[in-house]
Amino acid sequence: MSRRLVSLTLDTLEDLPRPCRQCVYWELDPVSADRACAAGDPGLEKEAWVSQTLLEWGSCGKLIYVDGLPAGFVMYAPPAYVPRSMAFPTSPVSADAALLTTANVVPAFAGGGLGRMLVQGVARDLTKRGIKAIEAFGDAKFGDAADPAGACVAPADFFLSVGFKTVRPHPRYPRLRLELRTALSWKSDVEYALEKLLGSMSPESLLRPVRPAPATRSTAG
């Protein structure tokens, strides 16, 4: 199984799941988002937001492909580019952090560590830009039928499972934070699997031929 992580561009934008490709929950303030949906083509607003953010700030998303198929994505940006961020009861996002707005893994590929790979890809990108941390608003009651945000706010449990810590609690929308130096210390899923399989032995030692012990002459006492 091959896994490939790429940056979001206007071309790869088309590989987002269709509901996410048409969603402007994060990209616009609540009033503007409602207006765009009523106009019938919020996808144009999404494309305009991605284009502007790429030009002014740089990469704002990652996609992961498994055997050539789009399997998940994350999106992120400075809070100033995310009007919806100010509508949360646990806002504002810290001044030294970028906001990870949404994370999604296609159900058929869930449970394979793709979410962690996506977040680590974001961490590498942001570290190069001198950013100290990633913050996110999590949904502590993800899947609730009364959830007005649907799947636009990722589960708080997901963020906690990949190393985020709660910095401002809330019964529904806690704000969570991941220090980038922590994220970059993670080992890859492959390394982790090898450690579990081989214990303290290195793969190289298993491939090295074993030399026979030198013969010893026994003497009678």
Side-chain angles (χ1 to χ4, degrees):
M1 180 183 296
S2 67
R3 299 188 288 187
R4 181 169 59 97
L5 191 67
V6 305
S7 294
L8 178 71
T9 65
L10 291 178
D11 292 329
T12 57
L13 179 64
E14 300 306 319
D15 286 339
L16 266 57
R18 183 163 181 79
C20 301
R21 172 66 180 85
Q22 298 293 317
C23 177
V24 288
Y25 176 86
W26 289 103
E27 292 79 5
L28 301 176
D29 64 81
V31 173
S32 298
D34 289 343
R35 187 180 300 124
C37 291
D41 196 357
L44 290 176
E45 295 288 349
K46 182 91 164 191
E47 183 174 338
W49 183 89
V50 170
S51 178
Q52 179 182 4
T53 306
L54 285 171
L55 286 171
E56 296 179 357
W57 185 66
S59 179
C60 57
K62 297 287 181 185
L63 292 91
I64 192 162
Y65 295 82
V66 175
D67 292 338
L69 299 174
F73 75 96
V74 291
M75 295 187 70
Y76 54 97
Y81 283 78
V82 188
R84 176 74 67 164
S85 67
M86 294 306 298
F88 283 81
T90 49
S91 63
V93 173
S94 301
D96 63 348
L99 177 64
L100 195 160
T101 58
T102 190
N104 180 282
V105 173
V106 175
F109 297 102
L114 301 186
R116 179 175 285 257
M117 289 183 65
L118 285 162
V119 172
Q120 192 168 23
V122 175
R124 289 195 183 101
D125 179 36
L126 294 179
T127 297
K128 293 175 184 176
R129 304 194 213 184
I131 295 173
K132 303 294 185 183
I134 309 170
E135 292 192 359
F137 298 104
D139 187 349
K141 299 181 180 180
F142 185 81
D144 189 331
D147 180 9
C152 299
V153 183
D157 286 346
F158 163 72
F159 292 116
L160 294 171
S161 73
V162 295
F164 282 71
K165 306 295 182 184
T166 301
V167 291
R168 189 168 177 189
H170 186 268
R172 187 60 189 264
Y173 297 119
R175 179 160 52 89
L176 306 106
R177 180 179 173 96
L178 177 66
E179 302 292 339
L180 293 187
R181 63 177 180 273
T182 300
L184 294 178
S185 70
W186 290 339
K187 294 187 176 180
S188 72
D189 295 324
V190 173
E191 290 173 320
Y192 178 72
L194 281 173
E195 282 194 348
K196 287 188 67 177
L197 179 64
L198 306 175
S200 60
M201 298 181 69
S202 68
E204 292 81 0
S205 68
L206 295 182
L207 299 175
R208 192 178 300 124
V210 177
R211 296 181 180 177
T216 58
R217 179 179 300 174
S218 60
T219 57

